Amino acid sequence: MTERTLAIIKPDAVERHLAGKIVQRIEDSGFQIRAMRLVRMSKRDAEGFYAVHRDRPFFKSLTELMSSGPAIVMALEAPDAIKKWRTLMGVTDPAKADPGTLRKEFGQSIERNATHGSDAPHTAAYEIGYFFAGIELI
Ligand code: IDP
Ligand code: MG
């Protein structure tokens, strides 16, 4: 089933000039990019985006990172896009991610792990809507 997911190239990866390589991997993997924008989140924007994690010990540091510089937000489309993108990213902690995954290759720590991906259809819908108006989705 064709599906959409929200992908983010996080500020740690944009700052390290890894965006081009990551977009290349997305295209090579067969995703259609349906929307894409460079966004500088405010602290409040990042807190809203990661609201499900507000009680976690890393919330403050995570939202500081996400608002520390520009990120690239994308709506990606493919059959089974949510799972497919999470597989390409690898697990949260780069040290535990499979070889060849984006987080293994480009992540620096469990927090500075280069990319974000939605984890379920309802979060994908919410997260795509957080950054893109319907008219911006191609
Ligand atoms: P996910 O990005 O793989 O879905 P989540 O558990 O949803 O992982 O966590 C959201 C983000 O919070 C992670 O991508 C990572 O940047 C950060 N994070 C998760 N767990 C930790 C932790 O134990 N320490 C520091 N940062 C963390
Ligand atoms: Mg998550």
Side-chain angles (χ1 to χ4, degrees):
M1 189 186 70
T2 297
E3 192 176 61
R4 286 179 177 181
T5 191
L6 192 277
I8 303 180
I9 304 175
K10 293 183 178 183
D12 56 288
V14 173
E15 185 185 23
R16 294 168 63 224
H17 298 176
L18 297 169
K21 287 194 176 78
I22 293 172
V23 171
Q24 186 70 61
R25 293 282 297 274
I26 288 168
E27 293 195 310
D28 290 348
S29 301
F31 291 97
Q32 296 291 331
I33 299 172
R34 293 303 188 192
M36 176 157 77
R37 193 170 73 245
L38 192 68
V39 55
R40 174 73 196 257
M41 277 181 249
S42 68
K43 186 76 160 38
R44 282 184 61 118
D45 294 335
E47 287 167 358
F49 181 73
Y50 276 124
V52 296
H53 294 312
R54 64 185 167 272
D55 296 326
R56 307 289 285 279
F58 55 82
F59 183 68
K60 181 168 181 289
S61 159
L62 173 64
T63 53
E64 280 169 7
L65 167 66
M66 294 302 286
S67 58
S68 67
I72 293 173
V73 292
M74 287 168 282
L76 303 183
E77 187 176 282
D80 212 9
I82 295 168
K83 201 166 123 224
K84 182 178 162 76
W85 171 236
R86 288 190 70 92
T87 301
L88 179 59
M89 286 198 302
V91 296
T92 310
D93 185 353
K96 296 179 182 152
D98 286 339
T101 60
L102 297 174
R103 283 167 160 174
K104 180 64 154 195
E105 210 165 319
F106 302 124
Q108 298 175 291
S109 69
I110 191 167
E111 184 168 276
R112 299 173 71 87
N113 60 0
T115 54
H116 165 85
S118 309
D119 61 7
H122 68 283
T123 50
Y126 171 78
E127 291 178 1
I128 289 169
Y130 198 78
F131 291 107
F132 297 108
I135 199 167
E136 298 175 284
L137 292 158
I138 310 302

